[in-house]
Amino acid sequence: MREYLKFYIDGQWVDPVTPQSAEVINPATEDVSGTISLGSPADVDKAVAAARAAFASYSQMSVKDRLDLLEAIQAEYLKREEELGEAVMEEMGAPRALACGFHTLLGKGHLGTAIEVLKEFKFEEQRGVTMIRKEPIGVVGMITPWNWPMNQTCVKVFPALATGCTMVLKPPQLAPYSAQLLAEIIDAAGVPKGVFNMIQGKGSVIGEALSKHEDVDMISFTGSEPVGVQIQKDAADTVKRVALELGGKSPWIVLDDDGLAEHVAGATAGMMGNSGQTCSAGSRLLVPNARMDEAKKVAAEAANGVTVGDPKGNFAMGPVVSKSQYNIIQQYIEKGIEEGGELIAGGPGRPEGLEKGWYVKPTVFVGTNDMVIAREEIFGPVLVMIGYDDLDDAIAIANDSMFGLGGYVSGKDLDTCRDLARKMRTGAIWINGAFDFHAPFGGYKRSGNGREWGEMGFEEYLETKSIIGFEPA
Ligand code: NAP
Ligand code: MG
């Protein structure tokens, strides 16, 4: 049983102003796995005051000193990587290999990337008589989701630390453990007091208090679209910068060539990764109508081949994060059947033999882009395969969405892949499974307005100052 009852404020582990706690449930067993404290606006006031006080000196710390600090954090992170993975496995149910693999690797990757970018980043640039300076925006409130807990947290915290900001982090109630360990790592690395603060609690309380706070300069939020809308409203009166990384319904176009079977299988298995709880998951798989029969066979086989079970065991997929997510996903599966989607794998209910834990069957529908299951983010292991007539049709379907987070193109002809990628209205497009920590990540349309990862992830936390007459004319 984990017990994390203290918050990290001003370099100390402190009790909440008003004690209140909540149990955390292990989604694989439905049992209580631990207890956390729930904060109140009074805790937020303390943390923001600490961050404000620390900003005066931290914002002036040299790049060299900030690099040393990030490297000290890196050393601590590496020592505790296994523990971080265990925490992720327990809090959100990712299989051990994934939790101790890609989940913690993403956190480590953003840390390494922040170090690389900081070494090269130009905070000052002379243009004529003017010096253009990039300066840290100030105190940042960070509100994160549970689905890739280390990724979402690290992609904010490390660029913010690198650019000289101070911060208050509010981790998700559903996945609070890994953030607690991260705070311990940051503490052990000797980050000056007040620079990084962490308060657990409800989004509707802590998140709202941060969004409305007079002394918070920016909110960086990753989560669902409705909460992003609310945060923007709450932040409006204080004219804060609000960076939003929201949901998606990302298209994956498979070209009509002899790699189709392999790509359909890969895209289907990819959709089931992390139990489909990935903001940029390729949840609409677009295949040529002329090859639909073949695609159906391959997708069904791939989905049925995804093993589901205890995260501690050797399975490809664990449970989804909570009872409430389980119920929402089940409703979408029912909806897909009701609106005439052709169910070719999975379906309602738990996989056979799994009576306890929030396990969902890897599910594939063949449908049309106007169906609810093709329009709304399900956030579970449910793929919708849609046929296209030609490449113009594929692009029209791909872009017919209120979201614009990710996109994928798989095929042998690289020119065609590039052409389709240029025409897709999304913030990131992955061609043939490539991956890059330096590629900006964020959404068009209702998928948000921010860009994280790499150098652009630094820009989020920076103000621009012009000093005119820095050089005489
Ligand atoms: P969520 O329900 O929006 O919650 C995200 C965070 O916001 C949580 O910490 C939550 O606190 C907090 N929150 C809730 N109400 C709030 C309020 N009124 N004011 C301020 N904060 C509030 O999202 P989720 O269910 O955790 O995560 C899934 C969503 O995140 C999906 O839509 C997914 O697509 C999106 N996502 C986007 C990206 C991206 O980079 N674009 C990446 C990952 C996930 P609680 O702890 O109380 O819930
Ligand atoms: Mg939620």
Side-chain angles (χ1 to χ4, degrees):
M1 282 292 228
R2 294 176 193 254
E3 202 179 68
Y4 295 138
L5 298 180
K6 292 187 188 281
F7 300 147
Y8 188 67
I9 298 177
D10 207 17
Q12 308 276 337
W13 289 98
V14 298
D15 291 320
V17 173
T18 310
Q20 198 197 339
S21 64
E23 289 175 336
V24 181
I25 305 294
N26 181 334
T29 60
E30 302 176 37
D31 294 329
V32 174
S33 67
T35 312
I36 57 164
S37 284
L38 299 179
S40 67
D43 299 301
V44 173
D45 285 341
K46 279 173 65 182
V48 172
R52 173 58 58 201
F55 183 70
S57 58
Y58 188 67
S59 59
Q60 302 301 316
M61 189 188 260
S62 70
V63 167
K64 163 83 179 62
D65 288 348
R66 293 206 300 264
L67 271 172
D68 288 347
L69 211 52
L70 288 169
E71 278 164 5
I73 296 172
Q74 198 174 36
E76 294 297 327
Y77 190 105
L78 291 175
K79 277 189 224 163
R80 303 196 59 184
E81 213 176 342
E82 191 74 24
E83 258 182 275
L84 282 167
E86 296 277 330
V88 169
M89 178 179 77
E90 204 170 300
E91 62 191 1
M92 52 81 65
R96 188 192 300 274
L98 179 66
C100 296
F102 201 44
H103 272 275
T104 53
L105 182 144
L106 283 165
K108 187 168 58 175
H110 292 306
L111 178 49
T113 304
I115 292 170
E116 280 172 42
V117 173
L118 184 55
K119 284 180 180 160
E120 304 291 329
F121 197 83
K122 302 255 174 301
F123 287 93
E124 293 194 342
E125 189 198 333
Q126 187 80 40
R127 274 203 218 160
V129 300
T130 301
M131 168 65 79
I132 301 170
R133 265 173 66 79
K134 300 279 184 179
E135 300 188 341
I137 190 164
V139 175
V140 183
M142 299 174 169
I143 304 169
T144 53
W146 46 263
N147 63 324
W148 286 95
M150 268 301 91
N151 177 59
Q152 314 305 351
T153 310
C154 295
V155 79
K156 297 186 190 311
V157 168
F158 297 129
L161 283 174
T163 49
C165 289
T166 61
M167 65 213 74
V168 180
L169 170 69
K170 202 290 291 173
Q173 285 179 78
L174 287 175
Y177 299 151
S178 52
Q180 195 87 19
L181 298 187
L182 189 74
E184 291 178 14
I185 287 169
I186 287 173
D187 180 61
V191 172
K193 71 182 177 107
V195 170
F196 171 88
N197 305 274
M198 190 224 38
I199 301 174
Q200 304 277 11
K202 290 188 163 76
S204 56
V205 176
I206 304 300
E208 186 188 293
L210 284 169
S211 303
K212 291 184 171 170
H213 208 288
E214 289 275 351
D215 218 17
V216 170
D217 300 291
M218 169 179 173
I219 296 288
S220 175
F221 171 73
T222 300
S224 62
E225 190 225 347
V227 173
V229 170
Q230 186 57 47
I231 287 176
Q232 232 170 1
K233 289 179 183 168
D234 288 340
D237 288 339
T238 48
V239 200
K240 292 181 175 58
R241 182 181 298 174
V242 178
L244 300 175
E245 302 286 344
L246 310 178
K249 194 75 192 178
S250 301
W252 188 319
I253 302 178
V254 177
L255 299 189
D256 187 354
D257 61 33
D258 59 9
L260 178 130
E262 188 193 326
H263 292 138
V264 167
T268 304
M271 180 65 221
M272 310 308 165
N274 211 38
S275 304
Q277 306 167 122
T278 300
C279 50
S280 54
S283 50
R284 291 184 294 144
L285 184 58
L286 276 43
V287 300
N289 271 321
R291 308 277 298 272
M292 185 54 95
D293 287 343
E294 184 187 351
K296 276 192 208 173
K297 190 168 162 281
V298 175
E301 265 171 28
N304 292 330
V306 174
T307 56
V308 185
D310 187 350
K312 291 182 171 151
N314 196 19
F315 299 96
M317 197 176 104
V320 298
V321 74
S322 66
K323 180 180 184 179
S324 119
Q325 283 299 120
Y326 175 87
N327 287 333
I328 290 169
I329 295 162
Q330 293 300 325
Q331 282 164 19
Y332 274 115
I333 294 175
E334 298 290 354
K335 181 77 196 170
I337 295 170
E338 203 183 289
E339 62 186 345
E342 183 191 351
L343 189 62
I344 61 166
R350 289 181 166 90
E352 216 167 306
L354 293 168
E355 271 84 49
K356 230 176 165 209
W358 305 117
Y359 295 99
V360 176
K361 293 179 190 165
T363 296
V364 182
F365 281 101
V366 179
T368 50
N369 202 44
D370 56 357
M371 289 179 178
V372 170
I373 52 168
R375 304 208 74 78
E376 297 180 10
E377 185 183 48
I378 299 174
F379 227 56
V382 182
L383 177 68
V384 186
M385 199 155 64
I386 301 168
Y388 67 80
D389 292 331
D390 55 24
L391 293 180
D392 287 341
D393 192 31
I395 282 294
I397 296 169
N399 289 340
D400 178 14
S401 173
M402 72 170 190
F403 293 112
L405 187 58
Y408 304 79
V409 190
S410 297
K412 298 239 151 115
D413 179 3
L414 196 51
D415 284 337
T416 304
C417 292
R418 289 171 176 155
D419 183 51
L420 292 174
R422 287 197 175 97
K423 289 175 178 160
M424 267 194 224
R425 299 280 300 157
T426 69
I429 291 118
W430 291 269
I431 295 178
N432 292 329
F435 183 84
D436 180 7
F437 271 111
H438 288 272
F441 183 98
Y444 282 25
K445 303 192 247 179
R446 298 230 192 148
S447 292
N449 58 16
R451 286 296 178 278
E452 299 190 300
W453 298 53
E455 190 177 322
M456 268 196 96
F458 276 40
E459 299 285 352
E460 296 241 306
Y461 298 103
L462 294 168
E463 284 281 19
T464 300
K465 177 188 278 175
S466 294
I467 309 178
I468 302 136
F470 193 90
E471 288 289 325

